[in-house]
Amino acid sequence: MKLKITIAIDGFSSTGKSTVAKQLAKHLGYIYVDTGAMYRAVALFALQQNFLVNGEINNHDLIEHLDDVIIDFKYNPQLGFSEVYLNRVNVEHKIRGMEVSSYVSKVASISEVRKKLVALQQELGKSKGVVMDGRDIGTVVFPNAELKLFMTADAEIRAKRRFDELKSKETIQVTYEEVYRNVVERDRLDRTRADSPLVKANDAIEIDNSNLSREDQFEKILNLVKKIV
Ligand code: DC
C-alpha cells in the first residue's frame, strides 16, 4: 500500500468514529487527528477563563481571546495515538468529562472558532496519509478526500456506550438519562447549526454500526481502503 490517501470519518457523537480511526491509522501507518478534541479544548479554554454569563458561554469573550488558544497534538507511544494539548498542557482527560460535553456543541457553532480549527486541520492533513474524524471533514475540511465514511448508530446504543465509558473514568456520578439527553441534544445542535452542520457528504459511505462488532467494522472499512490504494 504505497499511495497515501485522506480518510474522512464523520457522523453522530459516540458512534465509535475515533476507535475505528485509531485502528485504521495504526494499521496503515497514518496520522490520526481527532477534530472533536480540538473543539472540546476550545470549550475547556472558555470554561477555564470563566467566559460564562447565566450559565452559557459568552461568544463575544471567547472570540476576542481566540488568539490565546494554542492547540496541538503530541504522539504518546504508550497509547499509540496523539493526545491533545491546550496551551502546552495535556488536556486529553479533562476534555472528555460531562462539563465540557455539555458546552462543546455551542462552542462548535461559532464561525470564528470553526474557521481557526478548520485551517489547523487542513494544515495537519496537507501531506495526506491521514485519518481525520469529526462532523464536517468530508464536507468542509477535505471535500476531496479519497474515502469518506459517515457513521451512525441508534441513539440508545450510543448513549449506553458513552455511559459505560464515563462510568469507568469519571469521578462524579452521571446517570444514563443524563448521558442520553446529552447525546440527543448534541445531535440536534450539530445537525441544525448554521455553519457547517453535520450532514452526510453525497459521496460518503454510510456505516450503521448499531449491530457491528469492532472487528467486523474494521474489516469492512479496511476493505474499502484496499479498493482505493
Ligand atoms: O466527536 P466529539 O463528540 O468529541 O465532538 C465534540 C463536539 O465538537 C461535537 O458536539 C460536535 C463538534 N465537532 C464539530 O462541530 N466539528 C468537528 N469536525 C468535530 C466535532
Side-chain angles (χ1 to χ4, degrees):
M1 283 193 218
K2 283 272 152 54
L3 177 71
K4 293 228 172 205
I5 63 167
T6 300
I7 303 176
I9 306 183
D10 290 306
F12 295 99
S13 61
S14 304
T15 42
K17 300 185 295 290
S18 66
T19 303
V20 76
K22 280 178 198 158
Q23 282 176 313
L24 274 179
K26 197 168 177 189
H27 186 88
L28 300 167
Y30 279 20
I31 301 168
Y32 162 59
V33 181
D34 175 355
T35 65
M38 299 166 83
Y39 289 94
R40 286 171 180 271
V42 176
L44 178 64
F45 173 81
L47 292 171
Q48 284 175 343
Q49 302 296 315
N50 212 9
F51 292 155
L52 291 171
V53 177
N54 300 327
E56 294 284 338
I57 286 182
N58 181 333
N59 292 5
H60 179 80
D61 282 349
L62 177 56
I63 292 164
E64 205 172 75
H65 291 88
L66 261 188
D67 286 346
D68 302 336
V69 180
I70 300 167
I71 291 173
D72 45 25
F73 289 92
K74 267 193 212 120
Y75 186 73
N76 179 331
Q78 262 111 46
L79 294 175
F81 64 88
S82 295
E83 295 178 296
V84 68
Y85 283 67
L86 168 63
N87 293 334
R88 312 288 175 227
V89 178
N90 184 333
V91 292
E92 187 64 36
H93 286 293
K94 262 201 181 135
I95 59 164
R96 309 284 167 194
M98 276 302 276
E99 197 190 12
V100 168
S101 295
S102 58
Y103 287 101
V104 65
S105 290
K106 295 247 170 74
V107 167
S109 70
I110 304 171
S111 292
E112 287 82 353
V113 171
R114 303 204 69 83
K115 201 168 159 214
K116 177 182 171 105
L117 297 188
V118 166
L120 192 55
Q121 289 152 14
Q122 289 171 334
E123 180 63 27
L124 290 169
K126 69 176 182 209
S127 306
K128 298 206 174 211
V130 66
V131 187
M132 200 172 278
D133 80 7
R135 303 292 189 288
D136 60 341
I137 311 306
T139 49
V140 175
V141 183
F142 290 115
N144 297 324
E146 288 84 353
L147 179 62
K148 298 182 188 177
L149 303 172
F150 192 83
M151 316 277 290
T152 64
D154 291 341
E156 288 85 4
I157 291 178
R158 292 189 280 130
K160 174 79 173 61
R161 288 176 187 159
R162 183 103 183 94
F163 176 63
D164 290 343
E165 191 188 325
L166 282 172
K167 236 182 14 185
S168 64
K169 284 189 203 150
E170 199 143 353
T171 43
I172 54 159
Q173 288 293 317
V174 279
T175 64
Y176 167 79
E177 283 68 31
E178 279 174 296
V179 176
Y180 177 77
R181 277 200 300 274
N182 176 254
V183 163
V184 172
E185 178 62 0
R186 280 204 288 143
D187 287 353
R188 189 186 68 77
L189 292 171
D190 293 344
R191 285 158 86 163
T192 55
R193 66 171 175 240
D195 188 348
S196 323
L198 170 65
V199 280
K200 176 180 165 295
N202 289 333
D203 51 350
I205 298 164
E206 184 165 335
I207 298 190
D208 182 333
N209 64 19
S210 303
N211 299 306
L212 272 183
S213 70
R214 276 185 189 192
E215 294 74 26
D216 290 347
Q217 169 170 270
F218 179 63
E219 278 309 309
K220 188 172 172 158
I221 295 174
L222 194 59
N223 283 332
L224 295 172
V225 175
K226 283 179 182 162
K227 278 190 197 154
I228 300 170
V229 295

